[in-house]
Amino acid sequence: MVDCIFCKIIKGDIPSTKVYEDDEFYSFLDISPVNKGHALVIPKHHCRNLLDFPKAEETDLMEFIKKVAKAVMKATDADGFNLGMNNEDAAGQVVFHAHFHIIPRFNDDNLGSWPSKKCSEEELEKVRDEIVKYL
Ligand code: 5GP
Ligand code: ZN
């Protein structure tokens, strides 16, 4: 896509710190890392996010992510990692070319996890019943 920054990175029109690539995917370091070694994985064909991600590429994607995540873990001596994907504005998506964040985590990085809310059994069942209607 013409105005997509990640399409430009894949084409080499914008520089990136490439980690690895194959025919379908490209991985490079995030320019503003959460932790050292924070990598992004993107499909080479433009899509917006997970909802229009091509089915044909799904299986290969997980293998690609695991390969990069293992390398990031070893290289940074991480204790764990987060695999994240922001889908749409409300979830923090800023670049509208599907991408997965591989964020190395350290026992002492004090980043914690995302906040949680209390929810009654009744509320859980109510929202579950709404979700199930669309499956
Ligand atoms: P989002 O919030 O859309 O899930 O994440 C977009 C990510 O892309 C951000 O973490 C941001 O730092 C990263 N990013 C945005 N522009 C560039 C760029 O030009 N080069 C690199 N390497 N990362 C970028
Ligand atoms: Zn794109």
Side-chain angles (χ1 to χ4, degrees), residues 1 4 6-7 46 97:
M1 219 169 83
C4 173
F6 284 179
C7 282
H46 180 90
H97 179 129

Side-chain angles (χ1 to χ4, degrees), residues 48-51 84-96 99 101 114:
R48 183 177 171 89
N49 56 37
L50 190 66
L51 297 181
M85 184 182 204
N86 299 327
N87 291 276
E88 301 299 340
D89 275 326
Q93 186 174 8
V94 174
V95 178
F96 289 91
H99 56 278
H101 296 258
W114 50 54

Side-chain angles (χ1 to χ4, degrees), residues 4-12 16 20-30 39-48 53-54 57 61 64-65 68 85 93 95-102:
C4 173
I5 192 166
F6 284 179
C7 282
K8 287 180 183 166
I9 283 177
I10 292 162
K11 278 176 69 186
S16 67
Y20 185 63
E21 71 179 313
D22 66 11
D23 290 344
E24 290 172 307
F25 306 108
Y26 186 86
S27 179
F28 57 110
L29 293 184
D30 196 297
L40 299 174
V41 170
I42 60 178
K44 288 189 171 176
H45 290 123
H46 180 90
C47 59
R48 183 177 171 89
F53 197 89
E57 295 179 11
L61 171 73
F64 190 99
I65 286 175
V68 175
M85 184 182 204
Q93 186 174 8
V95 178
F96 289 91
H97 179 129
H99 56 278
F100 299 81
H101 296 258
I102 296 170

Side-chain angles (χ1 to χ4, degrees), residues 56-89:
E57 295 179 11
E58 285 171 3
T59 317
D60 296 341
L61 171 73
M62 273 303 150
E63 287 306 311
F64 190 99
I65 286 175
K66 284 196 296 189
K67 187 177 178 85
V68 175
K70 282 178 195 165
V72 167
M73 289 274 291
K74 283 187 181 151
T76 59
D77 203 21
D79 301 306
F81 72 97
N82 290 116
L83 174 63
M85 184 182 204
N86 299 327
N87 291 276
E88 301 299 340
D89 275 326

